[in-house]
Each structure stands twice: as C-alpha cells, then as structure tokens.
DNA sequence: TGTTGTTGTAATAGGGTTGGTTACGATGGC
DNA sequence: GCCATCGTAACCAACCCTATTACAACAACA
C-alpha cells in the first residue's frame, strides 16, 4: 500500500505555525502554510480542518483570517496529530468473511484483532512521546 | 487509506498449515488454503510465494504438490509475517519535496523520520512477541 | 514417455484511495 | 458594501488492492 502522507503534512503545518508564532506572526493563511509544504492550499485547508476538529488549531474567517495553534506546541503530541488525520487502522482484517466451517476461519478474527491492537497501541505510545515542540527543536538544530 | 489485508491472509494461511500438520496433513494446496480464507487460489499462491521467499514455508510443484511450514510454528513470529508481506512503511513522508527555503521545509524530513522509525520499531517489537503457534492456540481455545 | 495435478506468474479489470485542481458560497473585518 | 480568506463540493489522474483468467513450468506416477 502506498501509505498516505497526511500525518507528515499536518505535522509540517503545525511546526510552521509554531515557528511563525515564535517570530511574532501567530496567524498564517492556508496559502502561506501551503507554500512551505509546497502543495495546494486546499490540501492544507483540509488538513488544518481535521486539526481544527480535533482542537489542535484555531481558525479565523473573513479578512485577515488564517490559522494558529490552539494550544502550546509542547502539549501537542504526534499521537494527537495521528488521531486527528489518520482514521484508518494500521492492519486490516479479511476483506471477505473467512470460511466459518474451518476452525481457523471461524476463530482467527479475535486472535488477530488482539495482536493488531497490541501492536497499534505500542505504535501510538511511541507517537505520544513526541511533541510538535520537540519536532521543531530538532528541525532548528539540524 | 484502506489498509491492505496481506498480513491477515498470510497469518491465516500459516495457522491453517500448522493445524493441518497437527492433524497429519503437512502439505496443503493453494486451493485448500484458499477455501479456508475464502478467496482466490492465486491470491494465496502470491501470499505463500512471499512467505516462501522469506523462508517461512516450503513449496512442492508437480502432482501431489502444495505448501507446508518451513519451520516450527513456535518460531514464526507475526513480525516475520509482516516483514515477508508488507514492504510499505507505516507512515509516508512528503509526496513532493517541501520548500527548502523555509526552515521547517528544509529540516523536517530527518526529524519526522526519527519519530516514524521509533514508532515503527515499537510496532515491530509488539508483533515479534506473537507467534503463529500462539495465534493458533488462541483460535482453538475461543 | 505421456498424463495429470499443481505451482508460479503474467495480463487484465473493477473499485477505492490519494493528492491535486477549480470553483464558489459563507464569513467577517474594514 | 467590499474584499480576502475559509470551508467544502465536484471532479480528475494516478496509483494500489483484490480478484480473475490464462498458461507455461514442473514433477510424481502410471
């Protein structure tokens, strides 16, 4: 599968919003964020829209509108970002129901669900240990 | 994205091969495995082909052919399965190069790569703790 | 040696997702 | 009321995933 890059786009946008804030420009338009990510402003409005729904950014409309962080960058983790933009599970079960007359087909789903949940939880815990502030700091010191 | 179900198909096939072996039928054809997963035999031959390249199953051609486990089910982890069938990374970086003139665009890739690698490693470690034997045991006791 | 059953793989197709683009109504400061 | 910008719908091309058909390669066995 070609994994999507939504988490990357969203993290990029948030880091850029935070750097702009530190430089005295707390509000950026989707055009300005798109210029840094180098993609279409609509893509960013969609991504920032997801982040808005999740409470990570604020948005203003009308003249002088734009986006800004809704909370300190130290309190936005990569797990928050992942939750906001990536509803898909990491591993999918069978697309079509397996054969229920076979013992394996009948019982495999809960067994795999357990394993997948455990692995996904480990993945999420790792993301929760990184913040946008940490990402930005690493960017500026590289 | 609709995550693919290759790990699920492969784990199902391996568990079924192991159960058949315990029942005295160490070799199964792709038709027989496909009947349990309830999909096309070609899908299974492709999946089992990946597992074969990874050294997890053996295959025989000609009359009386089929597939069997290449090592004990206790020694095949879900990480082995994932490695065999899922070459894609869990999280993708930018599809198009970000703006190098922006500090964030210029430095974000290594910062995110670090984070993504760490999360992926946690995910892999969790998969490594589960074996096909364990999965099958859970299936039979459910 | 010929028959037979199965693997391995190519070609193809439909459906879904992704990122990209255009377009436009809604919004709100001026 | 004007105007810059958000929010979102509609559409598109590219790509991937699963499924299917087809067939050559292969190996056991008569």
């Amino acid at each position: 599968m070609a994994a999507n890059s939504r988490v990357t786009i969203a993290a990029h946008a948030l880091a850029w919003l935070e750097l702009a804030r530190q430089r005295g420009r707390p509000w950026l338009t989707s055009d300005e964020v798109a210029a840094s990510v180098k993609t279409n402003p609509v893509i960013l409005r969609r991504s920032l829209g997801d982040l808005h729904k999740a409470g990570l950014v604020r948005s203003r409309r009308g003249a002088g509108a734009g986006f800004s962080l809704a909370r300190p960058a130290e309190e936005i983790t990569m797990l928050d970002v992942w939750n906001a933009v990536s509803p898909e599970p990491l591993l999918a079960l069978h697309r079509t129901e397996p054969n229920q007359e076979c013992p394996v087909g009948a019982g495999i789903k809960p067994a795999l669900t357990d394993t997948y949940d455990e692995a996904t939880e480990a993945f999420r815990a790792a993301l929760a240990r990184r913040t946008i502030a940490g990402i930005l700091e690493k960017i500026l010191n590289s």
Side-chain angles (χ1 to χ4, degrees), chain A residues 3-78:
Chain A
N4 70 40
S5 56
R6 285 183 201 169
V7 174
T8 295
I9 303 291
H12 187 147
L14 293 169
W16 188 210
L17 284 177
E18 168 61 8
L19 180 58
R21 188 196 64 76
Q22 291 178 12
R23 291 174 167 181
R25 294 210 49 218
W27 294 91
L28 293 181
T29 67
S30 61
D31 256 36
E32 291 170 316
V33 182
S36 171
V37 181
K38 210 193 272 185
T39 183
N40 195 287
V42 176
I43 302 292
L44 263 297
R45 290 208 288 275
R46 285 206 277 247
S47 178
L48 289 162
D50 289 338
L51 298 173
H52 184 217
K53 280 177 211 140
L56 306 185
V57 304
R58 274 188 287 256
S59 80
R60 278 199 312 206
R61 308 183 67 165
F67 299 88
S68 75
L69 294 189
R71 28 173 163 130
E74 292 79 15
E75 295 172 20
I76 300 177
T77 70
M78 286 297 290

Side-chain angles (χ1 to χ4, degrees), chain A residues 71-130:
Chain A
R71 28 173 163 130
E74 292 79 15
E75 295 172 20
I76 300 177
T77 70
M78 286 297 290
L79 176 59
D80 295 326
V81 179
W82 193 68
N83 284 338
V85 303
S86 190
E88 290 285 338
L90 292 175
L91 294 169
L93 290 178
H94 303 70
R95 178 162 297 208
T96 61
E97 196 72 11
N99 187 346
Q100 297 301 304
E101 290 167 36
C102 164
V104 174
I108 195 169
K109 280 196 172 188
L112 286 183
T113 297
D114 266 20
T115 299
Y116 293 174
D117 285 352
E118 200 174 287
T120 300
E121 201 41 57
F123 177 84
R124 291 165 55 88
L127 289 185
R129 288 193 294 271
R130 301 297 193 109

